[in-house]
Amino acid sequence: MRNNFLWGGAIAAHQVEGAYLEDGKGLSIADVMTAGSHTVPRKITDGVLEGEYYPNHEGIDFYHRYKEDIDLFAEMGFKCLRTSIAWTRIFPNGDEETPNEKGLKFYDQMFDYLLSKNIQPVITLSHFEMPYHLVKKYGGWRNRKCIDFFYKFAKVCIDRYMNKVKYWMTFNEINNQTLVENPIFAFTNSGILYKDNEDSLKVMYQAAHYQFVASAKVVNYARSLQQDLHVGCMVAALPFYPQTCNPKDVLKAQKCNQKQLFFSDVQVRGYYPSYMKKEWEIKGYQLDITQEDLHIIKNGCVDFIGFSYYLTSTVSANMSVEKVGSGNAAGEDTVENPYLKTSAWGWTIDPEGLRYYLNDMYDRYQIPLFIVENGFGAVDVIEDGKIHDIYRIEYLRNHILEMMKAIEEDGVDVIGYTVWGCIDPISFTTGEMKKRYGMVYVDRNNDGSGSLERVKKDSFYWYKHTIETNGKEV
Ligand code: BG6
């Protein structure tokens, strides 16, 4: 393991900060999403409605408690903290001329505090929190204008923080939107609400194209500054296995994988892959893609690939095989993998899949990889003021061991590893508190009650030791 390996944790502004209207912040798309559960989807409401409950409004109050929380991260020995900059703190509506100085100041102070503890900020520019105004007025990423809005926001952030932040990512889990059957992903990725009778797939590819252009412009800009900045894409790792060695299953899995890899293919290689151009031709899609866009994409290839890894999925070409779905995380068209257990939310647990994915991605692209999310969402129980989350330790340990095999035995270049939700955040897909990821417990319940007190779980001490020994003792 390299000595400068970036061990750390990951959170996102909208899932922890709260203070949803403080210091000039505008409404973001996360602010109009109600709480759901494993079985009840979150609702997207038309603005903030009375009588509805929006868990992200308060988050875990990181906005006011970030020093206390960063002290805990420092105690664990974090080398980096991955978080995002809430777009709406900087441009509350998204289309203003000038940024909100109070919002900029907040991140200045937070980054300074991190750096004073020797923790590097790793920043996602857009993590499911675009200004709601851009949705209402422009239709979100349906609209080409979002390229300029996003670019302006990114440029302001990079100019302001380039001496403090060296690792940047443009769009979080940009490939989630392929799941067009689940409306939440179109909204969170792109601020899009599909209309009845429209071809959602076509709308999705158009939005993704605008995001590719916007992302490439940001990469290009950061490079032009010659400040040793690294800009990456960020994808959700969703590897698909064939259910059997029947070539039909293998081909089906390959197609499913291509659908996901499409995003990194464009962002890493800088051009549209032939399989996608063919698909668009067959479907008769004429997307708004100009020669200039293609030129920008070509010149804005990312420096590294950030990805989240939680689970793998298995598919079958045989229509009569029972479909079990993958909880709320991947296509519903998936079948059971008898070799894997699942979490209480139906997500498969597959540490070896991480080694497989790391190898696959490194073979394909040959650029550094950064595991910016991995973690276990589970219900924690407090006994005598303690949380014995042995299941979380086991999950993280097994994934780290497989990552280390990929690095040390397979030669994959991995920059770092950040545990998702290092302090219990609001769950993104369900809006729950009870789906906990943290090594630090937050006393907050699904209905928003609780003291917000922080408690160290057993995993806190385990992770501290793992970092101390640079992974030698996991
Ligand atoms: C990723 C997101 O999808 O997975 C995070 O980048 C999210 O924002 C994480 O929280 C875990 O998902 P969930 O739904 O369990 O919170």
Side-chain angles (χ1 to χ4, degrees), residues 10-12 14-15 42 82 124 127-128 172-173 176 185 234-236 308-310 328-329 345 347 372-378 420-421 425-432 435-437:
I11 46 179
H14 70 102
Q15 288 171 272
R42 301 182 78 171
R82 172 184 176 233
T124 319
H127 193 133
F128 309 157
N172 186 62
E173 294 190 335
N176 278 358
F185 293 114
M234 197 298 194
V235 293
S308 61
Y309 177 86
Y310 294 95
N328 44 12
W345 277 263
W347 294 18
V372 293
E373 281 185 36
N374 176 230
F376 192 54
W420 170 253
I426 304 289
S427 158
F428 150 58
T429 50
T430 69
E432 292 167 296
K435 189 181 189 191
R436 295 177 183 275
Y437 284 88

Side-chain angles (χ1 to χ4, degrees), residues 218-373:
V218 174
V219 174
N220 231 313
Y221 178 68
R223 208 161 276 157
S224 74
L225 298 170
Q226 302 190 326
Q227 290 291 321
D228 192 28
L229 304 177
H230 311 269
V231 186
C233 57
M234 197 298 194
V235 293
L238 291 173
F240 288 89
Y241 298 146
Q243 190 193 30
T244 70
C245 51
N246 181 334
K248 290 189 173 54
D249 283 353
V250 176
L251 275 171
K252 165 114 186 185
Q254 185 178 51
K255 262 281 157 253
C256 292
N257 283 321
Q258 277 179 342
K259 208 170 158 192
Q260 300 302 326
L261 291 167
F262 160 66
F263 291 81
S264 39
D265 277 355
V266 178
Q267 293 190 286
V268 178
R269 295 170 169 165
Y271 57 88
Y272 279 103
S274 49
Y275 60 82
M276 194 50 76
K277 289 203 275 201
K278 200 34 118 188
E279 182 178 329
W280 292 347
E281 187 190 315
I282 293 167
K283 290 205 155 88
Y285 291 171
Q286 305 276 343
L287 302 181
D288 170 28
I289 299 178
T290 67
Q291 281 310 312
E292 199 199 336
D293 293 346
L294 296 176
H295 182 74
I296 293 170
I297 290 174
K298 181 108 209 129
N299 288 302
C301 300
V302 292
D303 304 315
F304 71 95
I305 300 167
F307 69 87
S308 61
Y309 177 86
Y310 294 95
L311 57 107
T312 54
S313 301
T314 303
V315 287
S316 165
N318 181 348
M319 297 308 281
S320 60
V321 176
E322 193 200 351
K323 305 290 184 297
V324 295
S326 312
N328 44 12
E332 290 311 298
D333 198 19
T334 58
V335 301
E336 196 196 349
N337 183 333
Y339 303 100
L340 302 179
K341 294 201 175 101
T342 55
S343 78
W345 277 263
W347 294 18
T348 55
I349 301 170
D350 183 7
E352 281 156 321
L354 175 59
R355 181 176 180 184
Y356 166 78
Y357 184 78
L358 282 164
N359 272 281
D360 210 36
M361 293 295 273
Y362 195 57
D363 282 353
R364 195 173 180 104
Y365 302 119
Q366 297 282 300
I367 63 169
L369 306 175
F370 195 162
I371 305 170
V372 293
E373 281 185 36

